[in-house]
């Protein structure tokens, strides 16, 4: 549909620049916005350094308000470009853009609100659109699917770990004196978690020989079981990759399974795999080629 006025034509041009990334002006706009986001977040971070705030506090203040006005103008520009701006305002990106603006304006009435401005860094996710990295969405969905399918095994693993740290925490509480830091079962469980995960902060440690034996057992056990969720998840990822690449199509000619998803002919015998459509090699007839038949017809 062609624009009916110069105003709608302007909105259309602005829409392609602001929301699209398939042209040089659009990519330049997005890169400029992302650069401003990064500089804004750096300004906020540097302003929290006492020595820098004392020396450049006024500069940081005006820079931050400059970025705020810039992002406010960009937000209003995005609303102006759309025919139904309400959908954008209530969308994920619209809420993120709004959340990036509110802290500055709220700081006028609520002291300390500017500390929330680091939420602006979420907007840098737009780089996936700018650099055409949306192809990684499929890989992300693959990992998500692997997590969903392995959730029962992972939950079972977590239940086992929680049971182990509860048991070892209770035992070490009975074995070790309170002077060693084991003043309660929850605090002893904290020690068991730190030891089982092989982090070893060292803030609590056993002092009795039996407690040290138990601690050694927990550490060795930690190395043994930490590989379990990794193996489960890796197996599900490989299974997802296999299912994504291969189909369950069985060759009607030789019975071979696991062809590639986009395969049309069997890689072993050359039989047409789609039984619901005629083989193009048969001359476009209505009857599919009979697998294994050497009769050419006539």
């Amino acid at each position: 549909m062609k624009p009916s006025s110069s105003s709608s034509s302007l909105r259309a041009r602005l829409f392609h620049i602001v929301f699209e990334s398939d042209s040089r002006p659009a990519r330049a706009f997005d890169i400029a916005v992302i650069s401003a986001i990064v500089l804004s977040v750096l300004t906020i971070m540097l302003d929290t350094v006492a020595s820098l705030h004392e020396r450049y506090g006024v500069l940081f203040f005006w820079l931050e308000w400059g970025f705020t006005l810039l992002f406010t103008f960009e937000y209003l520009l995005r609303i102006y470009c759309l025919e139904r701006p309400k959908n954008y305002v209530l969308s994920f990106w619209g809420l993120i853009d709004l959340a990036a603006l509110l802290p500055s304006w709220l700081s006028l009435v609520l002291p300390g609100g500017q500390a929330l401005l680091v939420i602006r860094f979420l907007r840098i996710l737009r780089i996936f659109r700018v650099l055409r990295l949306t192809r990684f969405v499929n890989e992300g969905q693959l990992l998500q699917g692997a997590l969903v399918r392995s959730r029962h095994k992972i939950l079972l693993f977590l239940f086992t770990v929680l049971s182990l740290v509860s048991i070892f925490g209770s035992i070490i509480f009975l074995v070790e004196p309170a002077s060693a830091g084991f003043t309660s079962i929850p605090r002893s469980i904290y020690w068991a978690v730190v030891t089982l995960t092989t982090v070893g902060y060292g803030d609590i440690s056993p002092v009795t020989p039996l407690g040290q034996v138990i601690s050694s057992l927990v550490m060795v056990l930690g190395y043994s079981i930490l590989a379990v969720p990794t193996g489960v998840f890796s197996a599900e990822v490989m299974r997802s990759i296999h299912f994504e690449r291969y189909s369950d199509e069985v060759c009607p000619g030789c019975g071979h399974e696991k062809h590639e998803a986009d395969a049309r002919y069997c890689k072993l015998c050359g039989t047409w795999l789609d039984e619901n459509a005629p083989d193009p090699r048969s001359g476009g007839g209505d009857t599919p080629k009979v697998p294994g038949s050497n009769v050419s017809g006539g």
Side-chain angles (χ1 to χ4, degrees), residues 49-242:
V49 180
S51 58
L52 295 179
H53 177 76
E54 183 179 355
R55 180 177 299 182
Y56 305 107
V58 177
L59 176 61
F60 289 150
F61 174 81
W62 289 112
L63 282 176
E64 177 48 41
W65 273 106
F67 287 125
T68 298
L69 293 175
L70 176 64
F71 294 140
T72 302
F73 174 76
E74 181 221 357
Y75 182 74
L76 296 176
L77 186 64
R78 291 180 181 275
I79 293 178
Y80 171 76
C81 294
L82 299 173
E83 295 181 1
R84 291 181 290 273
K86 182 180 178 181
N87 294 339
Y88 164 73
V89 172
L90 298 178
S91 67
F92 172 78
W93 287 117
L95 294 175
I96 290 295
D97 291 344
L98 181 61
L101 298 174
L102 287 179
S104 288
W105 297 111
L106 289 178
S107 65
L108 296 176
V109 293
L110 297 176
Q114 284 184 315
L116 300 175
L117 286 174
V118 290
I119 199 173
R120 284 182 180 170
F121 208 73
L122 291 176
R123 301 183 70 204
I124 205 171
L125 292 174
R126 295 182 187 275
I127 197 171
F128 285 96
R129 178 167 61 89
V130 179
L131 301 182
R132 291 299 187 185
L133 298 181
T134 52
R135 61 182 180 272
F136 290 119
V137 173
N138 293 332
E139 281 72 9
Q141 292 175 345
L142 185 146
L143 296 179
Q144 181 182 6
L147 283 173
V148 170
R149 284 190 297 272
S150 59
R151 65 185 183 277
H152 297 297
K153 298 176 183 177
I154 293 177
L155 288 176
L156 177 61
F157 170 79
L158 291 177
F159 177 78
T160 303
V161 171
L162 290 176
S163 300
L164 288 174
V165 296
S166 298
I167 293 172
F168 282 112
S170 301
I171 293 175
I172 205 72
F173 171 74
L174 297 175
V175 171
E176 293 294 320
S179 58
F182 299 91
T183 56
S184 64
I185 290 181
R187 188 164 178 80
S188 301
I189 291 177
Y190 158 77
W191 166 86
V193 172
V194 172
T195 306
L196 188 68
T197 56
T198 69
V199 176
Y201 289 130
D203 53 345
I204 305 176
S205 58
V207 294
T208 64
L210 179 57
Q212 292 171 351
V213 170
I214 296 174
S215 180
S216 300
L217 177 62
V218 173
M219 285 186 284
V220 173
L221 185 62
Y223 278 109
S224 302
I225 68 175
L226 284 180
V228 174
T230 304
V232 170
F233 180 69
S234 299
E236 288 296 336
V237 170
M238 295 303 298
R239 183 180 176 186
S240 299
I241 294 175
H242 181 80

Side-chain angles (χ1 to χ4, degrees), residues 289 292-298:
K289 180 179 178 180
S293 175
N294 294 323
V295 180
S296 60

Side-chain angles (χ1 to χ4, degrees), residues 9-70:
S9 177
L10 175 62
R11 290 175 60 184
R13 290 197 298 268
L14 289 175
F15 174 82
H16 287 294
I17 293 176
V18 174
F19 284 94
E20 302 292 340
S21 59
D22 55 354
S23 64
R24 183 172 297 179
R27 286 192 294 269
F29 176 83
D30 282 339
I31 292 174
V33 170
I34 291 173
S35 301
I37 294 170
V38 174
L39 292 175
S40 173
V41 173
L42 288 177
T43 300
I44 297 167
M45 292 180 177
L46 293 176
D47 193 30
T48 60
V49 180
S51 58
L52 295 179
H53 177 76
E54 183 179 355
R55 180 177 299 182
Y56 305 107
V58 177
L59 176 61
F60 289 150
F61 174 81
W62 289 112
L63 282 176
E64 177 48 41
W65 273 106
F67 287 125
T68 298
L69 293 175
L70 176 64

